[in-house]
Amino acid sequence: MVYYAALKEKQSQMNTVLIGSQWGDEGKGKVIDVLTDKADVVVRYQGGSNAGHTVIAEGKKRVLRLIPSGILHEGKTCIIGNGVVMNPLDLIEEIEAMRASGVEPKGRLFISTRTQMVMLYHRALDKAEEAARAPGKKIGTTGRGIGPAYAAKVSRTGLRCGDMLRDDFTDIVREQVAETNRKLKMLRAERVDAGDQIGVPGCTVKDYQLDADEFARIYAVAKEKLSPYIIDTVPYLHAAKAAGKSILCEGAQGTMLDIDFGTYPFVTSSNPTSGGACIGSGLSPRDIDCVVGVVKAYTTRVGEGPFPTELYNAVDKQDPDGKTMAEVGHEFGAVTKRPRRTGWYDAVIARYAQQVNGIDYWALTKLDVLDTIPKIKICVAYELDGKRIDTIPSSASDLARVKPIYEEMDGWMCETSNVTRLEDLPPKAKAYVDRLVELSGAKLGILSIGPARESTIRVAL
Ligand code: IMP
């Protein structure tokens, strides 16, 4: 209690980390947008243009892949932190789209000199590697070059945004293309069917080989356009903090896609969990005051990998309640447009997310999607090899074998999206929300009951 009182007192200057608690697509874009009113600086700390944060404001829908949605709020500064892998060409496209819609990012958007770049050849490698994986071993990546870019970072061969400021930048690009062509040759020779395409938009890929001159030309233009945005963001952030500004760190993807804590190897290549916020921004753990976990009132997953409460997918599961979730919830990838798999809320996952992220408050989203489902299940534990467990097995193959243990509740069977106060929810909907919160170890901060900014009940944040 003392802690929450202290948080309340501190709310005038509070540094918050916002994370996804499931497999991504929890509705973080909207919650970040809502919380931005209390922040001065918004930092994206991991992932790349594999993410798609959807924001609907003043009747306009926007999908942001790299630029924090804070850019849509006048006077807020946005930072692409060092933990992100940033595709310069995607960023230029996003900056130009912003400008076309009347928002000028220059002077409000900064990219860390330490941010790694996703180059077009990383996309080529991502696609070639995924094509080379045997059935059952495919990850279902977004094909955006994320894994290869993080692999280059860790193997210390990556290019950082600071390199773009160097005079010999295009020479480095040429060297890297030569190295990539060696890898592509190996992939093709070893396992990849010659018929597979590894299309790279805007570039010629001839016989699995990339053209170094073409790459040098493309990146010379990118250097010109992006150089004004690149700064050392660590002193910038600490100066902002010292000046009493509030910082909001936004994660992409979700806890169960975390490279360490997710369903490895069916994960992304970064740390979406709250620890990643420090690593990916240069803030210290002591600078973080509050962690908000965004969690959907049911569960979805896109791509391959285990999903214990799964009801519906495009392949072999056709449960009608899962179909309702997919259809009413518009469950299609914001970036890849792939249909998402859907299933019941999994409180084992939510508890785990609370623990590994230190979640103080939940932002519970998409409750309204369940408005027409007569009986709603909540997974409260699993059964594995005849034993009841209430933690996530660390091995994906064990998680694929668990059987969910469910509690069942009555659905409320009426519309919730017009409700403006928690106490005005239909009693059965309120009971469902209370049960989720009770099972999941943190307080309710925000309840979202529709895609628009206005369809939000701010309980504590
Ligand atoms: P990658 O991040 O493109 O390497 O893909 C690895 C896994 O993470 C795949 O299962 C993707 O579908 C999933 N993934 C990546 N980004 C997102 C996201 O923003 N939302 C949901 N799933 C994602």
Side-chain angles (χ1 to χ4, degrees), residues 41-212:
V41 182
V42 186
V43 189
R44 168 85 185 270
Y45 65 81
Q46 49 71 234
S49 33
N50 50 348
H53 288 165
T54 308
V55 181
I56 301 178
E58 283 123 32
K60 259 197 211 157
K61 179 174 166 178
R62 285 195 175 90
V63 178
L64 295 154
R65 292 174 300 177
L66 285 161
I67 306 179
S69 55
I71 205 77
L72 304 175
H73 296 248
E74 228 175 287
K76 313 281 174 181
T77 303
C78 293
I79 290 182
I80 297 181
N82 59 280
V84 171
V85 286
M86 188 276 292
N87 180 330
L89 309 182
D90 286 348
L91 183 61
I92 291 169
E93 210 180 290
E94 227 171 294
I95 289 175
E96 283 168 3
M98 278 289 142
R99 208 165 268 152
S101 71
V103 179
E104 176 52 63
K106 210 171 260 170
R108 292 210 288 129
L109 173 68
F110 299 106
I111 312 162
S112 165
T113 42
R114 295 178 176 85
T115 300
Q116 295 277 330
M117 284 192 274
V118 180
M119 307 295 275
L120 285 170
Y121 43 77
H122 292 136
R123 285 182 72 142
L125 278 173
D126 194 359
K127 290 189 181 177
E129 284 168 1
E130 184 74 348
R133 286 183 188 113
K137 303 267 181 207
K138 292 191 189 296
I139 294 167
T141 74
T142 58
R144 296 265 164 180
I146 305 301
Y150 277 114
K153 170 181 177 173
V154 177
S155 58
R156 295 157 293 184
T157 56
L159 276 184
R160 308 203 300 180
C161 288
D163 293 325
M164 209 162 357
L165 305 177
R166 288 169 51 157
D167 293 337
D168 59 351
F169 175 60
T170 45
D171 297 336
I172 309 176
V173 171
R174 279 172 203 280
E175 279 165 26
Q176 295 234 338
V177 170
E179 180 52 32
T180 307
N181 278 339
R182 274 193 289 279
K183 284 187 195 151
L184 285 172
K185 221 177 213 166
M186 264 166 21
L187 273 165
R188 183 185 181 188
E190 277 178 14
R191 288 177 295 178
V192 182
D193 175 357
D196 277 341
Q197 285 303 308
I198 50 160
V200 178
C203 286
T204 330
V205 187
K206 220 164 134 201
D207 211 15
Y208 260 64
Q209 296 292 283
L210 311 172
D211 181 334

Side-chain angles (χ1 to χ4, degrees), residues 23-25 50-52 126 139-144 146-147 252-253 257 266-269 301-304 338:
W23 277 287
D25 309 317
N50 50 348
D126 194 359
I139 294 167
T141 74
T142 58
R144 296 265 164 180
I146 305 301
Q253 291 88 42
L257 287 171
F266 305 100
V267 290
T268 193
S269 301
R301 171 164 208 173
V302 58
E304 307 299 321
R338 289 182 291 177

